Amino acid sequence: MRVEIWSDIACPWCYVGKARFEKALEAFPHRDQVEVVHRSFELDPGRAKGDVQPVLSMLTKKYGMSEAQAQSGEENLGAQAAAEGLDYRTRDRDHGNTFDMHRLLHFAKEHGRQDELIQLFYRANFAEERSVFSEGDERLVELAAEAGLDAEAAREVLADPARYADEVRADEREAAQLGANGVPFFVLDRAYGVSGAQPAEVFTQALTQAWGDRSPLKLIDDGGAQACGPDGCAVPQQ
């Protein structure tokens, strides 16, 4: 079974939702037969690469709330993250464009290190003092190397804006086609969708239902067609 997760590094609920999903997946009896693929979704696609601002300033401007309300929201998110065993800095974080991180995640997918890299991106953005936005490409290269990727190859990806750009845009178009206008958004075997950072119990229910509803292959065969198998090929008889 395949689970696709549309998310953005700048999304705190994606950070929390991933932990809740993984809690459910860890207890799922068929977890070894579940493939998890991370898909791209930008919350702020129009933001320029160098446009970095404090999270509180972004929240007050985008949602028209007071700074006190924005800080209260961050404190609430910190409590939600802590309940899942996650570190979360409720003050002095910043916000910026995530497109290059999504490009690197597609690069990581080709090398089987996508989950490792996205978790490092989340940790760096939400739990660490160093910024993933204001320190430039070298910060992202460091994280890519920590995830087990070749640092120079990651640097080359970042230096070429066209590398994996089509893959990121394709993910975003597909999200729109699936009706995902927010993240996290989980799609199980292209049959079930789960929106938001749901409790682990909801993910358990979704995994169980999606696994149970998988239809066995229905074979259309009149019994007379020739075929090859491990023991050889059928030889037409005259």
Side-chain angles (χ1 to χ4, degrees):
M1 184 168 69
R2 170 181 279 203
V3 178
E4 297 163 279
I5 308 174
W6 272 264
S7 59
D8 191 15
I9 306 306
C11 165
W13 288 118
C14 296
Y15 180 46
V16 172
K18 182 176 186 291
R20 291 175 177 173
F21 169 76
E22 288 174 346
K23 185 181 294 184
L25 183 62
E26 179 63 28
F28 186 56
H30 310 288
R31 62 185 177 275
D32 293 340
Q33 298 177 63
V34 177
E35 176 192 13
V36 178
V37 178
H38 296 282
R39 301 291 191 191
S40 301
F41 189 106
E42 294 173 275
L43 291 173
D44 203 353
R47 181 177 291 270
K49 181 176 179 178
D51 183 5
V52 180
Q53 69 180 131
V55 165
L56 289 188
S57 297
M58 180 273 293
L59 291 173
T60 57
K61 182 178 180 180
K62 185 172 183 178
Y63 298 107
M65 60 177 64
S66 69
E67 187 168 316
Q69 288 173 320
Q71 184 59 54
S72 176
E74 283 294 285
E75 298 292 343
N76 178 268
L77 279 163
Q80 298 272 356
E84 304 304 330
L86 301 171
D87 292 328
Y88 189 99
R89 296 178 67 237
T90 59
R91 297 179 183 273
D92 301 322
R93 290 193 304 106
D94 58 13
H95 175 79
N97 181 282
T98 57
F99 187 66
D100 282 347
M101 283 182 268
H102 285 296
R103 294 197 299 117
L104 275 180
L105 285 168
H106 278 278
F107 166 67
K109 181 176 181 294
E110 288 189 351
H111 296 274
R113 309 300 294 177
Q114 191 185 44
D115 191 71
E116 290 82 357
L117 184 58
I118 197 170
Q119 190 60 36
L120 287 171
F121 281 163
Y122 280 139
R123 186 196 72 189
N125 185 40
F126 292 108
E128 297 182 354
E129 291 187 14
R130 295 179 62 192
S131 172
V132 292
F133 299 110
S134 62
E135 291 197 21
D137 290 351
E138 283 307 304
R139 177 66 174 135
L140 301 186
V141 170
E142 286 179 17
L143 293 168
E146 189 176 344
L149 296 164
D150 181 80
E152 187 56 36
R155 191 175 288 112
E156 290 174 0
V157 170
L158 292 171
D160 182 358
R163 293 279 300 276
Y164 302 100
D166 288 345
E167 287 83 348
V168 175
R169 297 306 185 208
D171 277 357
E172 293 174 338
R173 286 193 300 271
E174 195 163 15
Q177 291 166 0
L178 290 170
N181 52 19
V183 285
F185 189 73
F186 302 77
V187 176
L188 292 76
D189 259 358
R190 290 299 170 108
Y192 294 92
V194 178
S195 181
Q198 300 285 349
E201 294 78 9
V202 174
F203 290 118
T204 297
Q205 180 183 355
L207 287 165
T208 301
Q209 186 167 348
W211 183 269
D213 286 355
R214 294 180 311 149
S215 299
L217 185 67
K218 294 180 174 60
L219 187 64
I220 300 174
D221 181 12
D222 65 2
Q226 286 77 37
C228 295
D231 298 325
C233 298
V235 178
Q237 301 294 318
Q238 292 186 344

